[in-house]
Amino acid sequence: MKLNSRQTEAVKYISGPCLVLAGAGSGKTRVITNKIAYLVQHCDYKARNIAALTFTNKAAREMKERVGKTLGKKEAKGLMVSTFHTLGLNIIRREYKALGLKANFSLFDDQDQMALLKELTEAELDGDKDLLKLLQSAISNWKNEMLSAAEAQAYAQSERDQLFAHCYELYQRQMKAYNALDFDDLILLPVLLLRDDQEMRQRWQNKIRYLLVDEYQDTNTSQYLFVKLLVGERSRFTVVGDDDQSVYSWRGAQPENLGLLQKDFPSLRVIKLEQNYRSTSRILRTANILIANNPHLFEKALFSEIPDGEMLKVITAKNEDHEAEKVVGELIAHRFLNNTGYKDYSILYRGNHQSRLFEKSLMQNRIPYKISGGTSFFSRSEIKDIMAYLRLLTNLDDDNAFLRIVNTPRREIGPVTLEKLGTYANMRGKSLFASSFELGLEQHLTGRGLENLQRFTRWIVEMSENIERGDSVAALRELVRDIHYEDWLYESSPSPKAAEMRMKNVSQLYSWVTADLEGDNYDNEVKTLKEIVQRLTLRDMMERGEDDDEADQVQLMTLHASKGLEFPYVYLVGAEEGILPHQTSVDEGNVEEERRLAYVGITRAQKELTFTLCKERRQYGELIKPEPSRFLYELPQDDLHWDVEKRPVTQQERMQKGQSHIANLRAAMFKKN
DNA sequence: ATGGTCTTTCTTTTT
DNA sequence: GAAAGACCAT
């Protein structure tokens, strides 16, 4: 397919900063990949001087693949397509000395972070889960706003902020002692480095001569700074985004960054992609009318040349079981009549918990399905265990990893022993591992405890020496054998079947790691265990084409997870007040983001779109009678076919709906102040 | 240390 | 009302 004139303009404009406002389905990925190819083939850029940033590893992988197809292996060599965090990690790995880090730092994911915070703030927060969550996000927000612990303390207004800022400081100190970094550090540290060190800035600006950013509306403050520092005065960059698809503000994303760009780069060229190649005109018209209820930074008018096609449908169900049955029944009939594949259908919902009934119904009807999201591979306990072993072996000071596996499988090292070791380590200001060798420890810890502990740490030393010495693959094989992990799984799992599953996961992880150690991976690079562990913590598992995207399965996912995807037939379920818009968003007066979420859902559909809702729903144990989502009333009713007479017939009724909407907003505002 | 019962929670989530 | 997590008793 040829690029249209707007897309061509976006690809060929390379002499200055460029913002591409890419509506849903307007071919933004095509623009990015074509632009990279254009830079290399027609503008004398070397691939190794071009970087493209995304938010997810999946997006990065896909983009890499697509560029690879147009460019060929040789021309694409050295091209940097990665997430913000991976680029940050790479910079840190190269400049760790300037940052005052040791080479073998650990990466903490948010669970590690939470575990550490919990332990650190026993005195302050007394294990209060809500407060801990708040603290975690407060620290994350501070880091994203580039504030150090000292600055946070200085700015802290409330007593709680004071306390949190104090915990932030404790946390930073402990992370330093562990020689560990969290995800936010992966952006924060490079930004500080580039900001304060001119030579460093020049070096990286010289390396990255053209920068492209996908999903720009999802950037937060530090990520935007990162972009600004990387492009520098030269300002050779293209960012692609759509403010109507900003659904991550609760995670610190600042869609205002789209507007800021114009202020910071007055010569910014703004190019709008308004032709949609995905959906029927009817679906698109519906989406446009819905989103017109939101304020806009940039006006755009999406259009499609695909004919109207089927009406949009609204199906009303008695209750949520009925809803699932209706959707699945409908799906079966539709597939039969249209001779389509299961993978052409997707069921989208607001919250993960909604998936259960659909899953059940699909299973009963023997329909293959795939749920994205839920518990990820890396939060499975067996994977976390093995990862902890690997992390400890690459950074002996990583106390979190140490604690996770010191008694897994059982080594008869119980809480009492660890408690004593912990206090001693604290006293000496050393890591748990290091302390276990100190002579002074024997005054606190004797007999079996000490013996078991030292047997373990000596074994760790031996293992890490084996790895240092070279044959990591053999060393790893030895590790899994030594700890009898398989036996432990069979012992600790509820059923042999579960144990088998878990062992399969371990083998999967193991084969990824060994493939990378031997350079038998997608980029044919031999990696060190340290690098591999860091990348795995970032969830960047280098899957090689074994994606089961091809499998013929109905796709189930949250609206958030559906962003960027498309399906011929979409069921948007739970279109009710309280669910979409979610009640908490209504209470907070943040219906706009919910509307964008509905917009994202609608614009996933290529051919047909069906909303479903329930008259009754069980929620928190009690029966409620939800109203149809206000968004349904905002849609053009002429394009909508309700299965029951639920639509507001008169203009008056419509007004009433709108009014109550405004009244709700007002009530929420009132509540807030 | 393990297993059972009681209590709590019930939006979205990547890195 | 169900599932996960905390807590207590063994």
Side-chain angles (χ1 to χ4, degrees):
Chain A
M1 239 216 287
K2 260 193 71 184
L3 296 175
N4 68 30
S5 64
R6 296 278 109 184
Q7 291 173 328
T8 309
E9 184 189 353
V11 167
K12 294 199 169 164
Y13 179 70
I14 58 159
S15 55
C18 179
L19 165 62
V20 180
L21 288 169
S26 63
K28 71 182 170 106
T29 317
R30 220 157 95 227
V31 165
I32 296 180
T33 49
N34 276 280
K35 189 154 193 170
I36 293 172
Y38 180 77
L39 286 164
V40 174
Q41 291 174 331
H42 301 286
C43 312
D44 260 353
Y45 275 92
K46 295 266 183 293
R48 32 182 276 269
N49 290 323
I50 301 171
L53 296 180
T54 63
F55 278 88
T56 66
N57 288 307
K58 193 169 162 230
R61 215 182 307 132
E62 277 168 13
M63 197 175 289
K64 220 176 215 173
E65 206 171 289
R66 285 176 70 166
V67 177
K69 273 189 190 139
T70 11
L71 265 184
K73 243 193 171 146
K74 218 170 106 201
E75 278 181 307
K77 194 166 161 45
L79 179 72
M80 293 170 270
V81 183
S82 72
T83 63
F84 276 87
H85 295 264
T86 305
L87 177 64
L89 175 65
N90 288 335
I91 292 179
I92 293 170
R93 259 209 305 253
R94 223 160 290 183
E95 319 288 1
Y96 67 91
K97 277 191 190 131
L99 287 160
L101 290 165
K102 281 188 270 176
N104 61 337
F105 56 86
S106 281
L107 263 188
F108 273 25
D109 66 18
D110 44 359
Q111 290 176 58
D112 299 319
Q113 191 182 26
M114 185 51 98
L116 174 59
L117 284 172
K118 191 172 174 188
E119 198 193 300
L120 231 42
T121 59
E122 205 114 334
E124 287 85 355
L125 304 182
D126 192 32
D128 184 322
K129 246 178 72 187
D130 287 342
L131 277 177
L132 275 166
K133 275 209 183 111
L134 283 171
L135 172 63
Q136 191 179 32
S137 71
I139 290 177
S140 180
N141 288 338
W142 276 321
K143 287 192 173 189
N144 289 333
E145 296 292 322
M146 311 295 306
L147 293 174
S148 68
E151 286 164 323
Q153 242 155 356
Y155 291 124
Q157 298 283 314
S158 63
E159 205 155 302
R160 172 184 282 179
D161 282 356
Q162 285 283 346
L163 179 66
F164 279 6
H166 168 69
C167 297
Y168 179 17
E169 198 184 341
L170 291 179
Y171 169 75
Q172 282 302 90
R173 233 187 278 157
Q174 196 59 49
M175 288 294 276
K176 184 124 206 182
Y178 284 179
N179 197 20
L181 301 178
D182 61 32
F183 286 147
D184 297 318
D185 289 330
L186 297 183
I187 310 292
L188 174 70
L189 293 181
V191 167
L192 291 176
L193 188 71
L194 294 174
R195 191 190 65 187
D196 301 334
D197 188 332
Q198 199 201 330
E199 201 184 309
M200 213 55 91
R201 195 160 61 236
Q202 256 160 17
R203 168 138 44 118
W204 282 95
Q205 287 177 358
N206 225 18
K207 167 132 187 65
I208 297 172
R209 294 173 182 231
Y210 203 97
L211 184 71
L212 301 102
V213 182
D214 193 16
E215 304 278 11
Y216 179 76
Q217 76 281 351
D218 289 339
T219 52
N220 61 33
T221 305
S222 63
Q223 283 158 344
Y224 178 40
L225 272 173
F226 197 25
V227 169
K228 273 207 283 192
L229 288 163
L230 285 171
V231 300
E233 296 287 301
R234 208 170 2 172
S235 312
R236 296 290 167 89
F237 68 82
T238 299
V239 305
V240 182
D242 179 5
D243 50 336
D244 289 332
Q245 292 186 68
S246 156
V247 290
Y248 284 111
S249 66
W250 51 273
R251 212 165 70 191
Q254 305 229 318
E256 302 84 52
N257 283 346
L258 281 165
L260 266 184
L261 217 49
Q262 232 166 4
K263 264 196 208 125
D264 291 340
F265 301 92
S267 65
L268 183 75
R269 170 93 72 107
V270 180
I271 298 169
K272 294 180 192 174
L273 303 183
E274 295 177 300
Q275 178 162 8
N276 170 297
Y277 295 93
R278 177 185 297 155
S279 313
T280 65
S281 292
R282 195 193 302 274
I283 291 170
L284 202 61
R285 177 163 67 236
T286 310
N288 278 339
I289 289 174
L290 175 75
I291 207 65
N293 290 297
N294 272 4
H296 284 86
L297 284 144
F298 300 91
E299 289 304 328
K300 59 181 181 324
L302 272 178
F303 66 96
S304 167
E305 283 176 356
I306 303 169
D308 267 355
E310 294 290 315
M311 293 274 273
L312 277 61
K313 283 193 291 189
V314 181
I315 294 179
T316 312
K318 265 207 301 290
N319 54 42
E320 65 262 49
D321 298 289
H322 193 47
E323 182 189 33
E325 276 161 30
K326 269 198 159 175
V327 167
V328 174
E330 179 91 357
L331 195 155
I332 292 170
H334 191 279
R335 190 183 95 102
F336 182 71
L337 288 173
N338 296 274
N339 198 22
T340 47
Y342 288 123
K343 64 168 185 303
D344 295 334
Y345 298 86
S346 82
I347 299 172
L348 306 180
Y349 36 80
R350 174 69 238 258
N352 274 315
H353 64 278
Q354 287 173 266
S355 72
R356 274 197 42 237
L357 289 166
F358 293 96
E359 206 181 345
K360 188 176 137 203
S361 183
L362 287 165
M363 200 162 358
Q364 281 168 350
N365 288 284
R366 316 246 162 128
I367 295 176
Y369 63 90
K370 187 189 169 188
I371 297 189
S372 342
T375 24
S376 86
F377 185 76
F378 285 89
S379 43
R380 293 171 196 279
S381 66
E382 66 274 19
I383 297 305
K384 299 222 80 178
D385 286 345
I386 300 297
M387 285 295 292
Y389 273 100
L390 300 182
R391 266 174 37 196
L392 184 61
L393 287 172
T394 50
N395 173 13
L396 298 169
D397 292 330
D398 190 335
D399 281 359
N400 263 17
F402 183 97
L403 284 171
R404 176 156 191 115
I405 46 119
V406 64
N407 202 29
T408 311
R410 299 245 155 70
R411 296 191 181 85
E412 299 184 295
I413 302 171
V416 185
T417 310
L418 290 175
E419 180 85 61
K420 284 181 182 157
L421 176 64
T423 19
Y424 182 72
N426 260 344
M427 210 167 72
R428 304 275 304 152
K430 298 215 162 157
S431 68
L432 296 174
F433 174 83
S435 307
S436 76
F437 290 111
E438 300 233 330
L439 285 172
L441 179 62
E442 292 178 17
Q443 313 216 311
H444 306 260
L445 207 58
T446 46
R448 279 264 292 283
L450 184 69
E451 208 175 288
N452 288 333
L453 179 67
Q454 291 191 333
R455 187 180 310 133
F456 171 69
T457 47
R458 273 199 302 269
W459 174 77
I460 289 288
V461 171
E462 201 182 303
M463 281 292 139
S464 81
E465 277 171 354
N466 284 348
I467 287 166
E468 294 275 307
R469 222 179 289 128
D471 194 352
S472 311
V473 178
L476 282 187
R477 204 169 300 135
E478 204 175 320
L479 182 141
V480 179
R481 187 160 38 79
D482 267 16
I483 62 177
H484 304 290
Y485 196 71
E486 189 158 11
D487 297 338
W488 157 248
L489 280 183
Y490 276 94
E491 230 174 87
S492 62
S493 301
S495 72
K497 232 179 121 194
E500 204 181 303
M501 266 297 283
R502 300 169 94 191
M503 196 57 210
K504 249 174 90 183
N505 289 331
V506 173
S507 309
Q508 174 70 267
L509 177 69
Y510 184 76
S511 71
W512 279 334
V513 173
T514 45
D516 269 347
L517 282 168
E518 292 174 328
D520 178 20
N521 51 15
Y522 70 111
D523 52 6
N524 289 313
E525 261 179 56
V526 176
K527 299 194 166 65
T528 65
L529 189 60
K530 191 176 70 197
E531 282 172 316
I532 296 165
V533 172
Q534 285 169 355
R535 297 192 63 159
L536 284 175
T537 310
L538 282 179
R539 314 287 140 89
D540 187 2
M541 29 182 187
M542 319 99 207
E543 290 163 292
R544 292 148 295 261
E546 52 198 322
D547 298 329
D548 45 3
D549 293 3
E550 289 306 300
D552 191 25
Q553 298 169 319
V554 175
Q555 305 289 308
L556 279 77
M557 66 192 80
T558 63
L559 288 163
H560 282 91
S562 76
K563 199 171 79 162
L565 305 175
E566 58 184 23
F567 310 93
Y569 310 104
V570 170
Y571 294 91
L572 214 169
V573 304
E576 296 151 31
E577 284 295 298
I579 293 186
L580 178 67
H582 196 275
Q583 193 54 50
T584 28
S585 294
V586 175
D587 294 341
E588 284 165 9
N590 188 16
V591 180
E592 280 165 23
E593 181 140 322
E594 297 289 316
R595 191 175 284 110
R596 288 194 289 268
L597 209 42
Y599 175 79
V600 166
I602 292 171
T603 53
R604 297 311 96 194
Q606 294 170 297
K607 294 186 176 150
E608 292 177 32
L609 175 61
T610 304
F611 298 93
T612 67
L613 56 101
C614 303
K615 282 202 217 116
E616 280 180 357
R617 188 180 284 275
R618 207 168 269 288
Q619 203 170 41
Y620 310 148
E622 63 186 327
L623 208 59
I624 55 158
K625 293 191 188 292
E627 285 292 306
S629 168
R630 70 188 69 180
F631 301 144
L632 290 176
Y633 297 110
E634 291 176 4
L635 302 179
Q637 299 299 316
D638 294 340
D639 292 318
L640 211 56
H641 177 266
W642 297 67
D643 64 344
V644 294
E645 213 34 65
K646 194 80 184 185
R647 61 184 273 190
V649 197
T650 62
Q651 185 66 21
Q652 205 176 16
E653 270 182 69
R654 253 169 118 161
M655 290 284 286
Q656 262 173 8
K657 277 286 163 196
Q659 298 255 322
S660 72
H661 168 193
I662 291 166
N664 278 340
L665 273 179
R666 215 175 267 147
M669 298 267 289
F670 201 69
K671 205 166 147 189
K672 220 174 174 181
N673 295 330

